[in-house]
């Protein structure tokens, strides 16, 4: 998209970010009040346990920074016992004061007009933020609250330097959205796109406008947009997004239209599909391409196939990671040199001295490059001569950041497209897809926080997990299966890779010491790849009871859809009743006056 430079876009994004953090600040304040309330009613025993846990957290972080594994293990064991004792007390407190917690704390968070979080939305709209964007920001903050509360923590503030994408939203109040013709014929004042003179296609461009902020402000983003494909006839547009993505030092913009189709597009294949395919996931390295999965549609592992990640994608991801590692090394060296030379001011109340006092006491690996760049900006803004070597690092780091982020983004995009292609192929050929996924969360842990011990996965194995990004592949399969009407079955905790698919013997051994992927069965003498063997075994176990598994899947899917519809209906009725009571109270108040 070619976009006319418009300062109002940046202003709207700043307002949206500020609104999100204002909501998070409110949530964190309520969370702290709720924690204080809970601890006050936990009694002396609960309060003493809490103090010991806080001290243990500090000690564990110090031991982790020193890589003192025996100390970490000891603290983790002690902390686990403290948490067990405290959780029993807190559970009883929350149960006893359930209604009080709901009335005094939880009732203040939500999207009703009486909640404090909704009031942040109202203030942002009065301040100039578009109402649909404000609604979306509030929804995102509420999702963050729900996800954080599951973990027993308050949600984190959003940091602008960590965000690669921002979105401004237009929402159309008409039921089902507005006809697509209204947008392309200029009937809408908030958004408009000209019909392309040469028709829709990869090189088709048209002028567009997108309203920013309130309608009374009459502020628009204008430019040209590439119309790479036609919108289906008789479609209605329910929502429009103007998305800004960071691309190196610059930004890329996309205009996205959420269309509701008059008739659903049928992606079901004309040919008859096979009943079942099993996918056994992994991420072992290989010169011919990282092995992602074994795929089998029958019980014979010799007929199964391996899915591998193209080597060029992994090479680019590793190169980007290597560049980032260089950045980290250079950053650490520059930070330590700044501390040694001690030329920056530490006294006074200037932004520079405050920022430097905050970071100079931290270990070098805990100071991000963004903080260092901000430090350089503060030095310049206060007219202090910046050391030549510091300025040289700043410019070089900026160039390396552009190179690393661009390379990583292109590689991830190619990986995503490759996964989508694989997923569509599977969904179009099979009626049911069985997924056997390893515990990715467990494999990501370097140190077990409960035991304090290092996990079985080495650094190389953890880095391979990141390169493979199996969750992206799984999400692509879920998406393609939904489009094609395929059932997605899952299997966990089964011994599939360690049992011989030929004779069902459970004495499989690694054929060679340095090759964990080729297995040998001493019972029948066969040699088989670990992933192909796992996929074949998974297929056999699902095929024996396939009809009931698929039936159960579709019944659960239908129940979830009905549950969501019922929840939505009850919520609408509740909101309507609340509005009715509010109008009734206002009417009685005016009559009394």
């Amino acid at each position: 998209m070619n976009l006319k430079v418009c300062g109002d876009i940046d202003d709207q994004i700043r307002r949206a970010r500020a609104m999100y953090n204002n909501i998070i600040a409110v949530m964190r304040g309520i969370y702290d009040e709720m924690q204080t309330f809970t601890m006050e009613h936990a009694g002396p025993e609960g309060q003493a346990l809490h103090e010991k846990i806080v001290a243990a957290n500090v000690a564990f972080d110090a031991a982790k920074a020193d890589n003192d594994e025996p100390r970490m293990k000891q603290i983790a064991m002690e902390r686990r016992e403290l948490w067990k004792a405290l959780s029993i007390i807190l559970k009883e407190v929350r149960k006893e004061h359930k209604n009080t917690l709901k009335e005094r704390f939880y009732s203040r968070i939500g999207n009703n007009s009486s909640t404090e979080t909704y009031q942040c939305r109202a203030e942002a709209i009065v301040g100039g933020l578009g109402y649909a964007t404000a609604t979306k920001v509030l929804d995102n903050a509420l999702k963050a609250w729900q996800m954080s509360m599951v973990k027993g923590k308050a949600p984190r503030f959003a940091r602008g330097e960590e965000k690669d994408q921002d979105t401004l939203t237009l929402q159309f109040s008409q039921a089902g959205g507005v006809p697509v013709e209204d947008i392309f014929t200029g009937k809408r004042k908030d958004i408009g796109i000209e019909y392309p003179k040469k028709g829709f296609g990869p090189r088709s461009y048209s002028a567009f406008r997108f309203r920013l902020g309130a309608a009374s402000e009459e502020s628009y983003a204008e430019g040209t947009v590439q119309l790479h494909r036609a919108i289906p006839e008789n479609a209605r547009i329910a929502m429009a997004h103007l998305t800004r993505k960071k691309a190196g030092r610059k930004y890329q913009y996309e205009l996205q239209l959420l269309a509701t189709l008059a008739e659903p597009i049928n992606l079901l294949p004309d040919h008859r599909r096979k009943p079942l395919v099993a996918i056994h996931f992994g991420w072992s390295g290989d010169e011919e391409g990282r092995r992602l999965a074994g795929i089998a549609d029958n019980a014979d592992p010799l007929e199964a196939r391996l899915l591998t990640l193209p080597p060029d994608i992994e090479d680019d991801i590793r190169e980007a990671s290597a560049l980032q590692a260089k950045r980290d090394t250079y950053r650490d060296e520059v930070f330590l040199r700044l501390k040694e030379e001690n030329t920056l001011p530490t006294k006074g109340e200037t932004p520079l001295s405050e920022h430097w006092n905050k970071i100079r006491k931290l270990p070098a690996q805990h100071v991000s490059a963004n903080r260092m760049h901000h430090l350089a900006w503060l030095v310049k803004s206060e007219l202090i001569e910046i050391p030549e070597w510091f300025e040289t690092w700043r410019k070089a780091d900026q160039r390396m950041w552009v190179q690393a982020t661009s390379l990583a983004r292109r590689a991830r995009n190619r990986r995503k497209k490759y996964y989508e292609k694989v997923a569509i192929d599977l969904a179009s050929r099979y009626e049911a897809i069985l997924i056997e996924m390893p515990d990715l969360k467990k494999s990501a842990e370097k140190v077990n926080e409960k035991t304090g011990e290092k996990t079985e996965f080495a650094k190389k194995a953890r880095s391979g997990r990141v390169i493979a990004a199996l969750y992206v592949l799984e999400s692509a399969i879920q998406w393609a299966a939904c489009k094609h009407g395929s059932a997605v079955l899952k299997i966990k905790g089964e011994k599939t890779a360690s049992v011989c698919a030929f004779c069902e013997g459970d004495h499989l051994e690694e054929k060679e010491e340095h090759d964990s992927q080729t297995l040998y069965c001493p019972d029948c003498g066969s040699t088989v790849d670990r992933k192909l063997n796992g996929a074949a075994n998974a297929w056999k176990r699902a095929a024996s009871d396939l009809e009931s598994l698929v039936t159960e899947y579709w019944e659960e899917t239908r129940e979830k859809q009905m549950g969501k519809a019922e929840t939505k209906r009850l919520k609408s009725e509740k909101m309507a009743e609340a509005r009715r009571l509010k109008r009734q109270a206002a009417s009685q108040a005016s009559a009394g006056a």
Side-chain angles (χ1 to χ4, degrees):
M1 174 190 294
N2 294 323
L3 188 71
K4 182 179 178 181
V5 178
C6 179
D8 288 344
I9 294 178
D10 294 335
D11 178 69
Q12 286 288 302
I13 290 174
R14 281 194 296 269
R15 292 179 185 276
R17 290 181 176 183
M19 175 189 162
Y20 181 88
N21 281 338
N22 288 341
I23 295 175
I24 296 299
V26 169
M27 290 177 172
R28 291 176 72 91
I30 295 172
Y31 177 84
D32 290 342
E33 292 178 26
M34 185 166 56
Q35 291 297 95
T36 301
F37 175 86
T38 306
M39 292 308 305
E40 286 176 352
H41 291 78
E45 182 183 358
Q47 294 165 10
L49 288 170
H50 181 258
E51 291 176 0
K52 291 180 180 179
I53 290 172
V54 172
N57 290 337
V58 174
F60 186 88
D61 291 341
K64 190 174 182 180
D66 295 336
N67 200 25
D68 187 350
E69 188 174 347
R71 179 64 177 154
M72 284 192 290
K73 184 177 180 180
Q74 178 188 353
I75 296 171
M77 292 176 63
E78 294 172 356
R79 184 174 58 182
R80 185 165 68 251
E81 295 303 319
L82 292 171
W83 266 118
K84 285 181 180 179
L86 180 60
S87 62
I88 295 173
I89 297 174
L90 295 181
K91 185 177 180 181
E92 291 300 320
V93 172
R94 294 188 182 108
K95 183 178 180 181
E96 182 181 354
H97 300 278
K98 180 179 179 180
N99 293 332
T100 303
L101 290 171
K102 184 176 180 180
E103 293 173 3
R104 289 181 56 178
F105 305 109
Y106 289 110
S107 63
R108 295 156 61 185
I109 297 174
N111 54 9
N112 296 325
S113 58
S114 59
T115 61
E116 295 179 24
T117 50
Y118 188 90
Q119 291 168 13
C120 291
R121 172 189 178 275
E123 291 172 2
I125 293 174
V126 172
L129 182 63
Y131 84 93
T133 301
T135 300
K136 192 68 176 177
V137 170
L138 176 58
D139 291 342
N140 291 337
L142 293 175
K143 288 179 182 177
W145 168 262
Q146 292 173 354
M147 294 174 65
S148 298
M149 291 306 295
V150 171
K151 302 176 182 179
K153 299 179 180 179
R156 294 174 59 245
F157 288 106
R159 298 178 61 179
E161 63 268 20
E162 295 177 353
K163 296 199 67 175
D164 293 327
Q165 179 173 315
D166 292 277
T167 301
L168 303 178
T169 303
L170 288 177
Q171 189 169 1
F172 310 113
S173 56
Q174 286 181 240
V178 300
V180 66
E181 292 80 10
D182 289 1
I183 293 177
F184 281 91
T185 55
K187 292 183 179 180
R188 302 287 308 183
K189 292 184 178 180
D190 45 9
I191 186 173
I193 306 174
E194 293 183 2
Y195 267 116
K197 296 179 181 179
K198 298 181 180 180
F200 294 90
R203 297 185 179 180
S204 175
Y205 291 89
S206 289
F208 85 99
R209 70 178 188 281
F210 185 99
R211 192 182 71 206
L212 304 169
S216 58
E217 297 294 329
E218 295 187 355
S219 175
Y220 294 89
E222 297 179 344
T224 56
V225 62
Q226 181 185 11
L227 301 173
H228 56 90
R229 62 177 176 176
I231 300 177
E233 294 183 3
N234 301 322
R236 302 180 73 86
I237 306 301
M239 194 174 295
H241 298 302
L242 180 61
T243 301
R244 188 186 75 176
K245 296 181 179 179
K246 188 179 292 184
R249 299 182 186 180
K250 299 181 180 180
Y251 291 107
Q252 291 180 345
Y253 295 86
E254 292 180 359
L255 182 63
Q256 302 168 347
L257 303 178
L258 179 61
T260 303
L261 306 182
E263 296 181 2
I265 297 176
N266 184 16
L267 294 179
L268 294 177
D270 296 331
H271 61 277
R272 181 174 177 80
R273 296 184 293 175
K274 291 184 178 180
L276 175 67
V277 63
I279 308 174
H280 178 88
F281 283 102
W283 64 82
S284 59
D286 192 278
E287 293 181 357
E288 298 179 359
R290 183 166 295 278
R291 300 180 179 188
L292 302 173
I295 301 177
D297 58 8
N298 60 57
D300 188 355
L302 298 180
E303 295 186 11
R305 64 185 178 92
L306 277 173
L307 176 66
T308 60
L309 182 69
D312 61 302
I313 295 177
E314 179 165 351
D315 291 343
D316 285 353
I317 293 175
R318 287 196 178 279
E319 185 178 349
S321 180
L323 285 170
Q324 181 59 45
K326 284 184 179 180
R327 288 186 65 214
D328 294 341
T329 301
Y330 296 153
R331 175 209 62 204
D332 293 350
E333 293 174 355
V334 169
F335 178 73
L336 292 174
R337 186 172 177 181
L338 282 173
K339 290 176 69 174
E340 289 173 359
E341 295 192 359
N342 198 25
T343 56
L344 298 180
T346 57
K347 296 181 180 180
E349 297 181 354
T350 64
L352 173 60
S353 60
E354 290 179 359
H355 183 71
W356 178 235
N357 284 329
K358 282 182 180 179
I359 67 174
R360 69 188 182 93
K361 299 177 182 178
L362 298 174
Q365 65 269 26
H366 290 179
V367 180
S368 66
N370 288 329
R371 280 186 159 188
M372 296 290 288
H373 282 281
H374 183 59
L375 181 67
W377 179 82
L378 290 173
V379 171
K380 287 184 176 182
S381 65
E382 296 188 15
L383 303 179
I384 297 176
E385 184 177 355
I386 187 170
E388 183 178 350
W389 54 266
F390 191 23
E391 179 66 8
T392 301
W393 166 83
R394 187 189 67 79
K395 293 179 179 179
D397 185 74
Q398 198 170 42
R399 288 193 298 269
M400 290 179 66
W401 173 77
V402 171
Q403 185 180 358
T405 53
S406 299
L407 189 63
R409 187 184 73 253
R410 290 194 299 268
R412 288 195 297 266
N413 287 341
R414 297 205 312 275
R415 181 179 63 191
K416 183 180 178 181
K417 289 181 180 179
Y418 174 68
Y419 286 172
E420 289 175 351
K421 182 179 178 181
V422 170
I424 291 172
D425 176 67
L426 290 170
S428 63
R429 293 170 56 194
Y430 299 97
E431 294 178 355
I433 303 173
L434 176 68
I435 293 176
E436 184 179 11
M437 179 72 76
D439 190 342
L440 297 179
K441 184 177 180 181
K442 182 179 179 181
S443 65
E445 296 177 350
K446 181 179 179 181
V447 176
N448 189 322
E449 294 286 339
K450 293 182 178 179
T451 64
E453 298 178 339
K454 289 187 176 181
T455 58
E456 60 181 313
F457 291 96
K459 182 178 180 180
K460 186 176 181 180
R462 292 196 303 274
S463 67
R465 173 191 58 82
V466 175
I467 291 171
L470 296 182
Y471 273 139
V472 179
L473 177 54
E474 183 187 20
S475 297
I477 292 173
Q478 295 276 8
W479 165 81
C482 179
K483 295 293 184 182
H484 290 79
S486 300
V488 179
L489 313 176
K490 293 188 177 182
I491 182 173
K492 283 185 178 180
E494 297 283 345
K495 291 184 178 181
T496 55
S498 59
V499 175
C500 180
F502 295 101
C503 68
E504 297 187 357
D506 57 356
H507 303 98
L508 287 178
E509 304 171 353
E510 294 181 5
K511 190 171 184 181
E512 298 180 7
E513 183 179 353
H514 301 293
D515 183 8
S516 62
Q517 297 303 305
T518 304
L519 303 178
Y520 170 74
C521 179
D523 295 336
C524 64
S526 60
T527 301
V528 65
D529 180 88
R530 180 185 294 273
K531 290 182 177 58
L532 301 184
N533 183 71
N537 277 326
W539 186 92
K540 283 194 290 187
R541 296 178 190 186
S544 61
D545 195 23
L546 181 60
E547 184 176 353
S548 62
L549 290 173
V550 172
T551 301
E552 182 181 353
Y553 169 81
W554 289 118
E555 286 178 352
E556 290 179 357
T557 301
R558 183 172 177 272
E559 288 178 3
K560 288 179 181 178
Q561 293 173 344
M562 293 177 63
K564 288 181 179 179
E566 179 66 12
T567 300
K568 186 176 181 180
R569 183 187 67 81
L570 293 174
K571 183 178 179 180
S572 298
E573 290 181 356
K574 186 176 180 181
M575 292 175 66
E577 178 65 14
R579 287 194 292 268
R580 187 188 68 79
L581 293 174
K582 191 174 181 179
R583 289 194 300 268
Q584 183 179 357
S587 177
Q588 292 175 352
S590 61

Coordinates of all heavy atoms in Angstrom, one line a residue, residues 291-315:
R291 N 13.6 -32.3 10.1 CA 12.4 -33.3 10.1 C 11.3 -32.8 11.0 O 11.5 -32.8 12.2 CB 12.9 -34.7 10.5 CG 14.0 -35.2 9.6 CD 14.4 -36.6 10.1 NE 15.4 -37.2 9.2 CZ 15.8 -38.5 9.3 NH1 15.3 -39.3 10.3 NH2 16.7 -38.9 8.5
L292 N 10.2 -32.5 10.4 CA 9.1 -31.9 11.2 C 8.1 -32.9 11.6 O 7.5 -32.8 12.7 CB 8.4 -30.8 10.3 CG 9.2 -29.6 9.9 CD1 8.4 -28.8 8.9 CD2 9.7 -28.8 11.0
A293 N 7.8 -33.9 10.8 CA 6.8 -34.9 11.1 C 6.9 -36.1 10.2 O 7.4 -36.1 9.1 CB 5.4 -34.2 11.0
G294 N 6.3 -37.2 10.7 CA 6.1 -38.4 9.9 C 4.6 -38.4 9.6 O 3.8 -38.1 10.5
I295 N 4.3 -38.7 8.3 CA 2.9 -38.7 7.9 C 2.5 -40.0 7.3 O 3.1 -40.5 6.4 CB 2.6 -37.6 6.8 CG1 3.0 -36.2 7.4 CG2 1.2 -37.5 6.3 CD1 3.0 -35.1 6.4
A296 N 1.5 -40.6 7.9 CA 1.1 -42.0 7.5 C -0.4 -42.1 7.3 O -1.2 -41.5 8.1 CB 1.5 -43.0 8.5
D297 N -0.9 -42.7 6.2 CA -2.3 -43.0 6.0 C -2.6 -44.5 5.9 O -3.7 -44.9 5.5 CB -2.8 -42.3 4.7 CG -2.1 -42.7 3.5 OD1 -1.3 -43.6 3.6 OD2 -2.3 -42.1 2.4
N298 N -1.7 -45.3 6.4 CA -1.9 -46.7 6.6 C -1.0 -47.2 7.7 O -0.2 -46.4 8.3 CB -1.8 -47.5 5.3 CG -0.4 -47.3 4.7 OD1 0.6 -47.7 5.3 ND2 -0.3 -46.9 3.5
A299 N -1.0 -48.5 8.0 CA -0.3 -49.1 9.1 C 1.2 -49.4 8.7 O 1.9 -49.8 9.6 CB -1.0 -50.3 9.6
D300 N 1.6 -49.2 7.5 CA 2.9 -49.6 7.1 C 3.9 -48.4 7.2 O 3.7 -47.4 6.4 CB 2.9 -50.1 5.6 CG 4.3 -50.7 5.2 OD1 5.2 -50.6 6.0 OD2 4.3 -51.2 4.1
P301 N 4.9 -48.4 8.1 CA 5.8 -47.2 8.2 C 6.6 -47.0 6.9 O 7.1 -45.9 6.7 CB 6.6 -47.5 9.4 CG 6.5 -49.0 9.5 CD 5.2 -49.4 9.0
L302 N 6.8 -48.1 6.1 CA 7.6 -47.9 4.9 C 6.9 -47.1 3.8 O 7.5 -46.6 2.9 CB 8.0 -49.3 4.3 CG 8.8 -50.2 5.3 CD1 9.1 -51.5 4.6 CD2 10.1 -49.5 5.6
E303 N 5.6 -47.0 4.0 CA 4.8 -46.2 3.0 C 4.5 -44.8 3.5 O 3.9 -44.0 2.8 CB 3.5 -46.9 2.7 CG 3.7 -48.2 1.9 CD 2.3 -48.8 1.5 OE1 1.3 -48.1 1.6 OE2 2.3 -50.0 1.1
A304 N 4.9 -44.5 4.8 CA 4.8 -43.2 5.3 C 5.8 -42.3 4.7 O 6.8 -42.7 4.1 CB 4.9 -43.2 6.8
R305 N 5.6 -41.0 4.9 CA 6.6 -40.0 4.3 C 7.0 -39.0 5.4 O 6.3 -38.7 6.4 CB 6.0 -39.3 3.1 CG 4.8 -38.4 3.5 CD 4.2 -37.8 2.2 NE 3.0 -37.0 2.4 CZ 3.0 -35.7 2.6 NH1 4.2 -35.1 2.6 NH2 1.9 -35.0 2.8
L306 N 8.2 -38.4 5.2 CA 8.7 -37.4 6.1 C 8.3 -36.0 5.6 O 8.4 -35.7 4.4 CB 10.2 -37.5 6.3 CG 10.7 -38.5 7.3 CD1 12.2 -38.6 7.1 CD2 10.3 -38.2 8.7
L307 N 8.0 -35.1 6.5 CA 7.8 -33.7 6.2 C 9.0 -33.0 6.7 O 9.3 -33.1 7.9 CB 6.5 -33.2 6.8 CG 6.2 -31.7 6.6 CD1 6.0 -31.4 5.2 CD2 5.1 -31.2 7.5
T308 N 9.7 -32.3 5.8 CA 10.9 -31.5 6.2 C 10.8 -30.1 5.9 O 10.0 -29.7 5.0 CB 12.1 -32.1 5.5 OG1 11.9 -31.9 4.1 CG2 12.3 -33.6 5.8
L309 N 11.5 -29.3 6.7 CA 11.5 -27.8 6.5 C 12.6 -27.5 5.5 O 13.7 -28.0 5.6 CB 11.8 -27.1 7.8 CG 11.8 -25.6 7.8 CD1 10.4 -25.0 7.5 CD2 12.4 -25.0 9.1
P310 N 12.3 -26.8 4.4 CA 13.3 -26.4 3.4 C 14.5 -25.8 4.1 O 14.4 -24.9 4.9 CB 12.6 -25.4 2.5 CG 11.2 -25.8 2.6 CD 11.0 -26.2 4.0
P311 N 15.8 -26.3 3.7 CA 17.0 -25.8 4.4 C 17.2 -24.3 4.3 O 17.8 -23.7 5.2 CB 18.1 -26.6 3.7 CG 17.4 -27.8 3.1 CD 16.0 -27.4 2.8
D312 N 16.8 -23.7 3.2 CA 17.0 -22.3 3.0 C 16.3 -21.4 4.0 O 16.8 -20.4 4.5 CB 16.7 -21.8 1.6 CG 15.2 -22.0 1.3 OD1 14.7 -23.2 1.4 OD2 14.5 -21.1 1.0
I313 N 15.1 -21.9 4.5 CA 14.4 -21.2 5.5 C 15.1 -21.3 6.8 O 15.3 -20.3 7.5 CB 12.9 -21.8 5.6 CG1 12.1 -21.6 4.3 CG2 12.2 -21.2 6.8 CD1 10.8 -22.2 4.4
E314 N 15.6 -22.5 7.2 CA 16.3 -22.6 8.4 C 17.6 -21.8 8.4 O 18.0 -21.2 9.4 CB 16.6 -24.1 8.7 CG 17.4 -24.3 10.0 CD 17.4 -25.7 10.5 OE1 16.7 -26.5 9.9 OE2 18.2 -26.0 11.4
D315 N 18.3 -21.8 7.2 CA 19.6 -21.1 7.1 C 19.3 -19.6 7.4 O 20.1 -18.9 8.1 CB 20.2 -21.3 5.7 CG 20.7 -22.7 5.5 OD1 20.8 -23.4 6.5 OD2 20.9 -23.1 4.3

